[in-house]
Amino acid sequence: MRPCGVFDKSYALDMAIIRTWQHWAILLSALLTLYLFPLFGSYYLVSFINLLSISIIVVLGLQIVSGFCGQISFGQAAFMAVGAYTSSILTIRYGVPFWVALPLSGIMAGAVGIIGGAPSLRIKGMYLAMATIAIHFVVIWLILHMQITGSFKGLYPMPPSICGFEFDTDERMFYIIVTVMIIMTYGARNLMRSKVGRAFVAIRDNDLAGEVMGVNLYYYKLLAFFISCFYAGVAGSLWAHLITVVNTEQFTLLHALEYVGMLIIGGMGSVPGVFFGVLFIRILNELVMFASPALAKAVPWLGSSPAASLGLIAFGLAMAVFLVFEPRGLAHRWEIFKSSYRLYPFAH
């Protein structure tokens, strides 16, 4: 529903994402504040936004394959690992600049996703979910048993640089990570407005009906997997050059489950839902970090086990609450809020 007084007088205006000058003012102000933030924000918040942005890129990929195309995937952490190791190998062993390694990492992760996912696309639902879990373990096993990946020791990529200027701090990496996140969000938003996006939605809603209408199921499912893995690979490359150390402990099945949880809590099939879900889980994790020592100190007779497990308990409770009371996620609540604001003071 559009605000009162907003009319589409041309096809270009009908297709526009930003419609009014108020929207442009809000958007430009938000971007200006975001890019100036490292100049006055604390190191903790800058690092937190870096982590948020990388997580948003990963979950945007998961949203494309699961939320838009209806293909359940638990392999996002493994594909992120492929991107991180690809970027590290290219920059360390072959001297490839980070700016070239970044898109190549996404392409490599997409290629691995197609090779690993192609046989499993004949199945769907829970069987597909189990197949992606198997892909995760295969990818991690291969990384641990290859010499070029550093085996169990991992790799130590260098920070990006351009014309001698190194992005060797969180504040400097902030500009790369946030810019890539904005570009990929714009790409995901426009993908759903294209022919490809409509084919994804047709497959999600009813794949048989989509096939009858002429949608090539196998091609579009593979394409959704490739794009999803591309997003994860790019996020992995950013992560590797931000942390400057890569090992398989950073890409476990628990991380993959956490990304799926972000998608469910934020809302399936919604780009804003990705932001809501990632923000919710990351803030929850930060609260747990502060609450765990306090809990261990308040009830010492329970030992350290409850405090150590508080993160998993909070994540499980949040998932259960949203699945029972708000299965459409925070994005649904956001849409209700926007509609209520635009209708106010009228009830209908």
Side-chain angles (χ1 to χ4, degrees), residues 56-77:
I56 285 170
I57 295 172
V58 179
V59 182
L60 274 174
L62 190 61
Q63 184 73 285
I64 289 170
V65 73
S66 297
F68 295 146
C69 198
Q71 308 301 302
I72 302 173
S73 173
F74 285 93
Q76 205 70 349

Side-chain angles (χ1 to χ4, degrees), residues 6-206:
V6 176
F7 303 104
D8 296 330
K9 298 179 181 178
S10 64
Y11 181 70
L13 188 59
D14 181 57
M15 293 298 294
I17 297 176
I18 310 298
R19 295 178 178 279
T20 64
W21 68 267
Q22 292 92 340
H23 291 163
W24 276 110
I26 293 172
L27 177 65
L28 293 177
S29 301
L31 289 177
L32 183 63
T33 305
L34 184 63
Y35 277 100
L36 291 177
F37 186 76
L39 301 179
F40 58 85
S42 67
Y43 172 79
Y44 172 79
L45 287 178
V46 170
S47 302
F48 184 66
I49 294 176
N50 283 340
L51 178 61
L52 273 182
S53 301
I54 292 174
S55 301
I56 285 170
I57 295 172
V58 179
V59 182
L60 274 174
L62 190 61
Q63 184 73 285
I64 289 170
V65 73
S66 297
F68 295 146
C69 198
Q71 308 301 302
I72 302 173
S73 173
F74 285 93
Q76 205 70 349
F79 298 124
M80 188 178 173
V82 172
Y85 275 92
T86 301
S87 186
S88 302
I89 292 168
L90 288 175
T91 53
I92 294 172
R93 302 189 187 279
Y94 300 103
V96 177
F98 165 78
W99 312 102
V100 178
L102 180 66
L104 289 180
S105 303
I107 293 171
M108 185 65 183
V112 172
I114 287 179
I115 294 170
S120 60
L121 289 180
R122 294 292 182 186
I123 56 180
K124 58 184 179 180
M126 186 54 65
Y127 299 102
L128 178 59
M130 296 303 293
T132 57
I133 292 175
I135 293 170
H136 172 93
F137 286 115
V138 170
V139 169
I140 298 300
W141 185 88
L142 287 173
I143 290 173
L144 287 175
H145 291 81
M146 293 172 69
Q147 290 298 323
I148 196 170
T149 58
S151 189
F152 291 89
K153 297 178 182 176
L155 295 173
Y156 299 89
M158 297 297 290
S161 63
I162 181 168
C163 299
F165 181 81
E166 287 197 346
F167 294 84
D168 53 355
T169 64
D170 279 42
E171 288 82 357
R172 293 179 179 182
M173 280 296 292
F174 177 92
Y175 293 101
I176 298 176
I177 294 172
V178 168
T179 302
V180 173
M181 183 270 291
I182 292 172
I183 292 172
M184 301 197 83
T185 301
Y186 183 75
R189 180 70 181 85
N190 276 289
L191 176 69
M192 300 319 301
R193 293 146 43 94
S194 66
K195 173 188 173 183
V196 174
R198 290 192 292 273
F200 288 168
V201 174
I203 293 171
R204 179 195 65 188
D205 292 346
N206 192 320

Side-chain angles (χ1 to χ4, degrees), residues 291-308 310:
S292 293
L295 178 64
K297 188 177 180 181
V299 283
W301 49 273
L302 283 177
S304 59
S305 296
L310 189 59

